[in-house]
Amino acid sequence: MKTIIKKLLAHYWLVYPVLILKMFIYYWQTKRLDMLGIYDVPLLSLLFLLCVFEAFSFKESKPRRYGFYIVYTLITLIMLADAAYSSYFGKYVSINQLYQITSLGQIAGDGDVIGASVSPWCLLTLIDYPFVLYWYRLRNKGKKGMLDELAKCWPEKFHFKNVWKEKKFMLSLIKSALHIIIYIVAICAWYYYGLNPQNLRSVQQVNHIEFFTYHTNDIVVNVVGKLKRSSVDEKAIQKKMKSIVPKSSGTAYKGVAKGKNLILIQTESFNNFVIGATYNGQEITPNLNKLLKKDTIYFNHFYSTTGVGNTCDAEFSALNSLYPNDIRECYRMYVDNTYNGLPWMFREKGYSAMAFHGYVKTFWNRSEAYKNQGFQHYYSEEELEQTQISGFGITDKEMFRQAVDILKTKQQPFFSFMITLTNHIPYELDQSLASLKLKDSDVGSTFGNYLQTVRYTDEAFGKLIEYLKKNDMYDNTVIAIYGDHQGMNKETPSVQWKMTDFLGKEYDYDEMLNVPFIIHIPGLNESKVADTVGGEVDIMPTIANLMDLDTKQPYVFGHDLLNADEGFVAQISYVGEGSFITSDDNMLFTIGKDGTVASGRLMSLLDGSRKNINEKLCQKYSDRAQSLIDTCKEVLDNNLIANYITH
């Protein structure tokens, strides 16, 4: 066996099939194999990778050798990052994620989050690394440059008519010419596809998939493109918004909660499918189920509209009715912008505005971001008593108890924004706090742990109501609850299998992106299930209608769901820009991984069934969704809200 291995290692040409295998593993792990029908992609990938190997094999020298080691290591690490990121988000990593390293470190340091959300199979992208470096060293040992080879083979008497008879010279000349042609083709292809100078859709399609051109384009757009900002036409932006932002008309429920306190709760990783569901003969959310039966409006077709910031982007969108983006978390990218979201709107009505979270204040840059968001005080783990810790930080029950104790001493009416924590991946819960009886097959699984922490968070909601009633605050307090993003990711095979079995149908994006939005108004004297499509971007205008608040600024990208003329939200994370969800025919459309409508998927919100794509209609909606994201980014990039608001 050792002899066979030695013989194999002695043949450097084996590096070529290994490089092909590397690209196959990469596209498999990033879930792009189904897109490789686009012939450009595999050919371009192999061309670029082989050119990297050959360019540094020009001639043996230490600078070239170490240059190859550095470049190939960088390529391998980026491929690993793409594979890891795709296993959770379904997309390649961007240079903008470099800014999230601090937050990633905080997450990794406080729980096995990476292990629970990233596929270990992505490590296969490293399997070729030692072999390629070895074969590169073997290939270049004592190698002369092309010019040296030509000079060595140069005929003593050079005649053009007879030069073809000089076999060694001709072979060396052909090899040199082929190398030069390949390099020129690679450079031209890199320029054409990586920079896309003509802005062609077919080129964009390749850019969404091919490794080298995607990352080239990513750097050009997100680094070079930001070095100089162009002027912006505010009137043109506002005119565009009138045509793309969903509209609401009417005055239903206007002011029904005017003057009451508001507790807005962002619930960590809370999927809508748990509401009203049973497991092993037990209600998963008995307290929320009870809440829905009296004085409550429940939006069952409500969807997460997060960007790359996930939790923090969900709250950014909910508080400000602004779309996040796929570049960087908004609490860092736009930390110094001016806003006029719910905290400021309530303060203008004489309310106090506070935020509560049972984790460290620096996470997602909240301690800095909340200042411009309008919160007067932020109660984080550092200021709350750490009486009960589970998973990341203070348990939800303890956070609610301490929050109510603080609120009863503060100016009323108040606006309180609370973020739950116990139901955070990897869904670790102290066994003394667990109340759901799991099947033996689900004990220790991500699925079983998730249901257990969801049940605990539901119990925390029940306790919150108890605390409010005990302190005579319940009857005058609106409680609004929404999920920030999914807890169960369909991209994880074990989750997909368990969830499909639990739901009795395929667990797809229609269920994954669906989160609850519940508004409980004591004294409403009715319960209502509203099936209008909406998202976190619609929370601010919906709350504003109920509380009789004014949205003065023109830059509001959501609409009041209680008086909606239509339901439409753009999607970003997990499904890609250009995806959308609409009440028209109850459609959820996910853009193709190649960035085109033709390769996308259309699903029914009613039963999750696949639908045939009406390409013209879907393209119209997809363009609208993309325009919403792009227009909001223009507003944020240029801090346009500041032109209308002075705090």
Side-chain angles (χ1 to χ4, degrees):
M1 187 66 180
K2 289 183 179 179
T3 305
I4 295 174
I5 294 174
K6 284 183 178 179
K7 286 183 177 180
L8 286 174
L9 290 176
H11 299 288
Y12 75 83
W13 54 265
L14 286 172
V15 73
Y16 301 117
V18 168
L19 291 178
I20 293 172
L21 177 64
K22 181 185 184 71
M23 298 310 301
F24 175 84
I25 291 173
Y26 171 75
Y27 285 119
W28 167 50
Q29 283 300 304
T30 55
K31 299 177 176 62
R32 299 299 194 277
L33 278 182
D34 57 336
M35 295 291 162
L36 292 186
I38 303 172
Y39 67 91
D40 309 73
V41 176
L43 292 179
L44 281 175
S45 299
L46 292 174
L47 174 65
F48 293 140
L49 200 55
L50 290 174
C51 278
V52 168
F53 187 81
E54 291 296 332
F56 284 95
S57 301
F58 185 78
K59 182 180 181 181
E60 185 185 31
S61 70
K62 280 189 177 181
R64 285 193 179 88
R65 186 196 319 156
Y66 291 116
F68 176 78
Y69 292 162
I70 292 170
V71 170
Y72 196 75
T73 299
L74 183 62
I75 289 172
T76 301
L77 290 176
I78 295 174
M79 284 186 170
L80 174 62
D82 278 345
Y85 200 70
S86 290
S87 69
Y88 191 75
F89 289 101
K91 62 184 71 176
Y92 293 152
V93 73
S94 166
I95 194 170
N96 292 289
Q97 267 72 70
L98 289 174
Y99 298 108
Q100 291 181 288
I101 289 176
T102 303
S103 298
L104 181 62
Q106 286 180 306
I107 295 175
D110 286 278
D112 188 23
V113 177
I114 295 177
S117 58
V118 174
S119 170
W121 290 103
C122 65
L123 294 174
L124 285 175
T125 53
L126 303 174
I127 199 170
D128 67 294
Y129 185 71
F131 299 102
V132 172
L133 296 191
Y134 174 80
W135 279 321
Y136 173 81
R137 186 74 182 90
L138 185 66
R139 162 80 185 276
N140 287 276
K141 192 174 182 179
K143 185 180 179 184
K144 303 290 185 180
M146 285 190 296
L147 294 179
D148 295 329
E149 292 290 336
L150 281 171
K152 184 179 178 181
C153 301
W154 196 272
E156 291 184 9
K157 295 182 179 180
F158 190 87
H159 297 289
F160 284 105
K161 291 182 179 181
N162 299 322
V163 72
W164 60 273
K165 294 181 180 180
E166 303 291 338
K167 293 182 180 180
K168 288 186 178 180
F169 174 75
M170 286 302 296
L171 183 62
S172 179
L173 183 64
I174 291 170
K175 284 171 62 178
S176 300
L178 283 174
H179 273 82
I180 293 171
I181 291 170
I182 290 171
Y183 296 149
I184 291 173
V185 170
I187 291 170
C188 291
W190 204 326
Y191 172 78
Y192 181 74
Y193 286 100
L195 301 181
N196 192 10
Q198 295 177 302
N199 198 28
L200 298 175
R201 187 170 295 231
S202 58
V203 174
Q204 290 175 347
Q205 183 179 2
V206 173
N207 264 338
H208 276 79
I209 305 170
E210 205 282 321
F211 170 77
F212 290 94
T213 57
Y214 167 82
H215 287 288
T216 299
N217 187 261
D218 179 52
I219 292 171
V220 169
V221 171
N222 294 312
V223 177
V224 179
K226 290 179 183 177
L227 295 179
K228 185 179 180 181
R229 277 187 176 177
S230 58
S231 59
V232 62
D233 186 342
E234 287 190 61
K235 290 184 178 179
I237 288 177
Q238 292 172 20
K239 182 179 179 180
K240 183 187 294 183
M241 286 184 63
K242 289 180 180 179
S243 64
I244 61 176
V245 174
K247 296 176 177 60
S248 296
S249 59
T251 57
Y253 297 94
K254 184 172 179 61
V256 296
K258 184 176 181 179
K260 291 183 181 289
N261 303 317
L262 172 66
I263 296 178
L264 178 62
I265 304 171
Q266 177 167 290
T267 313
E268 177 65 44
S269 305
F270 215 78
N271 277 105
N272 191 57
F273 66 78
V274 298
I275 304 294
T278 58
Y279 167 84
N280 202 18
Q282 308 156 89
E283 284 186 283
I284 301 173
T285 59
N287 291 287
L288 287 180
N289 296 345
K290 182 180 178 181
L291 195 69
L292 296 183
K293 295 177 181 178
K294 185 179 180 182
D295 299 334
T296 298
I297 303 170
Y298 168 43
F299 299 89
N300 63 344
H301 280 165
F302 190 80
Y303 297 87
S304 169
T305 53
T306 59
V308 295
N310 251 13
T311 298
C312 70
D313 280 353
E315 61 187 82
F316 176 84
S317 190
L319 293 172
N320 299 288
S321 194
L322 295 167
Y323 278 101
N325 57 58
D326 203 20
I327 297 175
R328 188 182 174 194
E329 69 272 34
C330 292
Y331 276 173
R332 284 197 173 90
M333 191 170 185
Y334 303 116
V335 63
D336 295 321
N337 278 28
T338 298
Y339 300 97
N340 194 45
L342 286 175
W344 288 112
M345 293 162 68
F346 274 108
R347 285 176 64 179
E348 288 174 4
K349 291 287 186 178
Y351 281 62
S352 54
M354 293 154 285
F356 295 84
H357 188 35
Y359 193 44
V360 295
K361 64 182 179 181
T362 57
F363 192 54
W364 289 128
N365 202 37
R366 286 189 177 102
S367 57
E368 293 300 315
Y370 279 174
K371 296 173 184 176
N372 279 7
Q373 291 296 318
F375 290 110
Q376 293 162 298
H377 201 96
Y378 171 34
Y379 294 91
S380 60
E381 184 182 62
E382 291 85 349
E383 289 192 48
L384 299 174
E385 296 176 12
Q386 298 183 35
T387 50
Q388 190 177 69
I389 303 293
S390 185
F392 268 63
I394 300 170
T395 62
D396 296 341
K397 290 180 183 177
E398 271 300 287
M399 190 268 287
F400 285 150
R401 181 188 65 80
Q402 294 184 53
V404 173
D405 284 344
I406 292 170
L407 290 173
K408 69 182 182 183
T409 67
K410 298 296 181 180
Q411 167 194 334
Q412 295 195 35
F414 61 75
F415 166 53
S416 175
F417 180 58
M418 302 180 186
I419 308 164
T420 68
L421 184 63
T422 308
N423 194 44
H424 197 295
I425 194 171
Y427 315 121
E428 294 177 345
L429 186 67
D430 191 288
Q431 283 304 302
S432 64
L433 304 177
S435 63
L436 198 66
K437 186 176 180 181
L438 297 177
K439 299 175 184 177
D440 291 342
S441 60
D442 292 331
V443 173
S445 70
T446 300
F447 173 74
N449 291 344
Y450 177 72
L451 294 187
Q452 196 69 267
T453 52
V454 165
R455 175 64 171 272
Y456 176 84
T457 297
D458 177 78
E459 292 172 357
F461 289 136
K463 285 293 184 182
L464 172 62
I465 292 173
E466 285 183 25
Y467 300 145
L468 291 172
K469 287 181 176 178
K470 182 179 178 181
N471 290 280
D472 297 323
M473 300 165 67
Y474 173 75
D475 290 333
N476 195 41
T477 301
V478 174
I479 303 173
I481 301 167
Y482 69 96
D484 59 354
H485 54 77
Q486 86 288 343
M488 293 284 94
N489 195 317
K490 74 176 290 290
E491 301 293 345
T492 306
S494 60
V495 166
Q496 176 64 256
W497 176 73
K498 285 282 187 182
M499 282 301 305
T500 298
D501 182 60
F502 176 72
L503 295 172
K505 64 175 184 176
E506 182 185 359
Y507 181 57
D508 214 327
Y509 288 116
D510 59 321
E511 291 281 0
M512 175 179 147
L513 299 174
N514 189 197
V515 295
F517 180 32
I518 299 166
I519 306 175
H520 178 66
I521 309 170
L524 183 64
N525 296 322
E526 71 166 294
S527 288
K528 175 186 177 70
V529 176
D531 55 9
T532 300
V533 165
E536 285 144 353
V537 72
D538 300 310
I539 289 177
M540 187 191 92
T542 303
I543 292 291
N545 175 61
L546 291 168
M547 310 292 287
D548 198 22
L549 305 176
D550 296 322
T551 53
K552 296 178 181 178
Q553 76 273 20
Y555 301 111
V556 175
F557 283 80
H559 64 319
D560 170 22
L561 295 178
L562 293 168
N563 293 283
D565 297 332
E566 63 171 325
F568 184 90
V569 287
Q571 287 292 308
I572 311 170
S573 200
Y574 305 101
V575 290
E577 293 183 9
S579 301
F580 62 84
I581 306 175
T582 176
S583 290
D584 290 354
D585 297 324
N586 289 297
M587 298 187 300
L588 184 155
F589 177 78
T590 57
I591 197 80
K593 289 182 179 179
D594 59 358
T596 65
V597 167
S599 62
R601 291 196 309 160
L602 190 62
M603 288 173 278
S604 167
L605 299 178
L606 302 179
D607 57 13
S609 61
R610 306 286 172 80
K611 306 176 78 172
N612 293 327
I613 293 177
N614 179 332
E615 194 168 338
K616 186 176 181 180
L617 179 62
C618 287
Q619 187 68 62
K620 174 185 174 183
Y621 281 135
S622 181
D623 290 343
R624 179 184 181 185
Q626 186 68 61
S627 187
L628 280 166
I629 304 301
D630 292 342
T631 305
C632 191
K633 187 176 180 299
E634 280 189 278
V635 170
L636 291 167
D637 282 346
N638 295 279
N639 195 17
L640 297 185
I641 297 174
N643 296 340
Y644 295 85
I645 304 298
T646 304
H647 293 302

